Structure formats: structure tokens, C-alpha cells
Amino acid sequence: MRTIDDVMALLDELSAPCGGDWWDRFYADRSREVPFFVTKPDENLAGHVERGTLVPGRALDVGCGPGRNAIFLARNGFQVDAVDISATAIRWAEERAEGLGVRFRHGDALATEGSYDLIYDSGCFHHLPPHRRVGYLALLDRALVPGGHFALTCFTSEEGTAVPDADLYQRSGLSGGVGYTPDELRWIFQDLAEIDLRRMTEEPPDSPRFGRSFLWTALFRKDVQ
């Protein structure tokens, strides 16, 4: 008889690649022309911090990659935990953030324990197969403090695959990532209060901020009960 863990592992296999080995290869060549292989923070995150919508506190960077947003938060007074499934990405991030006190961890971000005023995701969610959304929402439920904020960037339906969830398991992988519509994001995160949901601003190459218009940016708040 199969357990729930057995079924989840089987679904992971059907929706591969999503494991650390694949991402280690992705991050191995730092010279590649990948849009987010930069040191700039996301324009939406920087804007929320500069306007005071997000104030310093404990922050979790989910799927932190080479650490550009974690570093920005640390430089702006946040106590930052940052997690990624790729050990290669974590090593790169640690080199970049030396002396800033960011606590990087290699592992499954959805298994993170603790309490956070801000949970930030600049690219993990749209690489999760549909069955992993349950664990993602569970992370937000247990780790985000009442009154805390959850901020997200993810693929639009034009950039990512927009096929029905069930069809993704008939394919090999997620076709580069899952694309969402605003209504789909509102439905998935319906237990949180929406503050902002818009297309990311396209930033010029010389901008101090990262911004690409093929992404949505969203900011939600966990209401105090």
C-alpha cells in the first residue's frame, strides 16, 4: 500500500526536473546570460521597502538562488534566512553576502520552521508542480506571523506554461515553469489580503533594480485574527 509520501514522490518524478541536481547544473556557469544572474534586487521589493510598506523584521527568502534579494533585505535592516534547493546557488550567495549575516541554508524551503514578518519568493513558486502548492500554503500558514507580508514574483501565463494542472503530469517537466493569471494567484492565496498585484516594471539595463515585464509581482498580508 502506498503512503502519502510515496504518492508525492511519484508526482515529483512525473513533474521533473525540479530537484537540486538540475538546479546545480543551472547555476554552475555564472557567466551565462540569465536575466536574474545579477546583484540587483527586484524592483517591487525595493519599492515596498523604500516606501515603508515593508519594515525591518525577520525575513525568509524562499528559493533565494544567488541571494540578490536576501542581500538587499539584510542591507536594509532585516534579519534574513534564505533557502535554496541548489547547493551551488547557496555557495554563490554566501560569497556575495560575506559579512552581512544572512543565514543561508541548502534544502527544501517548504520545510522551513520559524516565524517571519516577511516571506519573499522571487522565482520558486512558478517552478513547483501543482501538488506542491499544498506544502507552499502550509509554509505561509505556519511561518508567516499575523500582520506579516508575503511577496511574490512569478511567471505570467504568456511566459510560463498555461496548460491545465492535470496535463502537466503527462509531460516531462514543467516546460520551464508554470504561468499564472492574476485570478489564479488570487484564488491560490485567497486566505491572505491582497495589497498589490501587477505586472513587474521593465527596468533598463543600467537600472539599480531588476525588473522584467514577463513576471507578475504580488504583495499579500496575513490578517490579524
Side-chain angles (χ1 to χ4, degrees):
M1 177 181 248
R2 281 181 173 160
T3 66
I4 291 176
D5 287 341
D6 291 335
V7 173
M8 294 291 275
L10 176 61
L11 291 173
D12 280 345
E13 289 179 11
L14 291 172
S15 54
C18 60
D21 290 345
W22 190 93
W23 286 107
D24 283 339
R25 292 191 296 273
F26 180 83
Y27 286 111
D29 183 359
R30 302 180 185 184
S31 66
R32 293 172 57 213
E33 293 294 326
V34 176
F36 56 86
F37 278 15
V38 294
T39 58
K40 309 172 183 181
D42 289 339
E43 60 86 4
N44 53 301
L45 178 64
H48 290 314
V49 170
E50 290 176 6
R51 290 190 294 272
T53 307
L54 299 176
V55 297
R58 289 203 68 203
L60 173 65
D61 189 350
V62 175
C64 63
R68 59 193 178 84
N69 289 302
I71 291 168
F72 170 81
L73 289 170
R75 285 175 172 161
N76 282 273
F78 289 79
Q79 300 173 8
V80 185
D81 292 337
V83 188
D84 201 277
I85 198 171
S86 168
T88 301
I90 290 295
R91 286 193 295 271
W92 189 1
E94 288 173 335
E95 292 172 18
R96 285 177 160 183
E98 185 175 0
L100 288 175
V102 180
R103 294 172 294 275
F104 289 104
R105 180 172 67 85
H106 168 226
D108 181 0
L110 303 192
T112 302
E113 298 293 340
S115 298
Y116 296 94
D117 303 290
L118 169 65
I119 296 178
Y120 191 70
D121 179 348
S122 63
C124 175
F125 180 69
H126 57 221
H127 288 299
L128 293 178
H131 66 281
R132 288 295 177 190
R133 293 177 198 145
V134 175
Y136 195 99
L137 293 174
L139 169 67
L140 298 180
D141 184 61
R142 72 173 180 273
L144 191 60
V145 302
H149 291 88
F150 164 59
L152 170 77
T153 68
C154 69
F155 288 152
T156 65
S157 55
E158 294 90 352
E159 176 67 16
T161 181
V163 302
D165 286 349
D167 292 351
L168 290 173
Y169 297 99
Q170 306 299 320
R171 303 179 172 205
S172 176
L174 302 179
S175 301
V178 180
Y180 292 92
T181 66
D183 285 344
E184 287 170 336
L185 294 175
R186 292 184 177 109
W187 181 80
I188 292 169
F189 300 112
Q190 61 185 283
D191 291 337
L192 302 173
E194 179 187 331
I195 296 175
D196 185 40
L197 204 169
R198 61 173 174 80
R199 194 174 287 268
M200 186 178 244
T201 301
E202 186 78 25
E203 295 284 337
D206 60 349
S207 171
R209 302 177 179 182
F210 171 84
R212 301 299 291 266
S213 60
F214 58 74
L215 297 167
W216 296 119
T217 76
L219 180 65
F220 297 91
R221 182 183 62 246
K222 184 176 185 178
D223 286 338
V224 178
Q225 299 297 320

